Amino acid sequence: MSFFSTGPIENNPVGGVRTTQQLTVKIENRDLVNSGTVQVHGYVLDTTVTLYVVDPISVSPSEVVTRNYYANLDAIKFDFTTGGPAEDQIVISVWGKDDTGQLQAAHRVVREEL
């Protein structure tokens, strides 16, 4: 099993609107033969840490899975645990999007940063 985390992502309002409204997670299985799994946990970081996303995902060989999660919050963190025969071939990226679906570079986390 491998563990990856975005770490805390600050998303305070600017002019009354948060930069990121939605978080898109892309999961790619680069293994041509084996499947893998990813357990996604999303947390609201306030005065306490509150779990708000639990999403177990199976990823077939050569498959790309996209999930969208609510992110109109002041601070969040996402953790990913990979497993299965293809766990070393699973690549994860996280993308913040505004209310029109435009990518927000400030809230982009790619494989090398997880």
Side-chain angles (χ1 to χ4, degrees):
M1 267 188 200
S2 297
F3 177 79
F4 306 96
S5 180
T6 62
I9 298 173
E10 189 173 336
N11 191 30
N12 291 321
V14 176
V17 178
R18 289 187 183 86
T19 304
T20 293
Q21 308 289 314
Q22 171 180 284
L23 208 66
T24 296
V25 174
K26 288 222 178 254
I27 302 166
E28 176 188 0
N29 181 356
R30 293 183 175 174
D31 195 303
L32 302 176
V33 178
N34 298 302
S35 295
T37 60
V38 178
Q39 182 72 258
V40 179
H41 289 121
Y43 300 90
V44 177
L45 306 178
D46 202 348
T47 56
T48 60
V49 177
T50 305
L51 180 66
Y52 82 107
V53 171
V54 176
D55 194 4
I57 300 170
S58 294
V59 190
S60 298
S62 300
E63 182 181 22
V64 176
V65 175
T66 302
R67 291 285 200 272
N68 294 305
Y69 302 106
Y70 180 81
N72 191 12
L73 302 158
D74 286 337
I76 56 177
K77 177 182 85 154
F78 273 73
D79 294 337
F80 308 93
T81 306
T82 62
E87 90 175 69
D88 293 338
Q89 295 298 312
I90 292 177
V91 179
I92 301 167
S93 63
V94 178
W95 302 86
K97 294 183 179 177
D98 66 14
D99 58 349
T100 65
Q102 297 299 307
L103 295 176
Q104 299 301 303
H107 296 148
R108 170 200 52 78
V109 184
V110 294
R111 179 182 185 176
E112 291 78 16
E113 298 170 331
L114 285 172

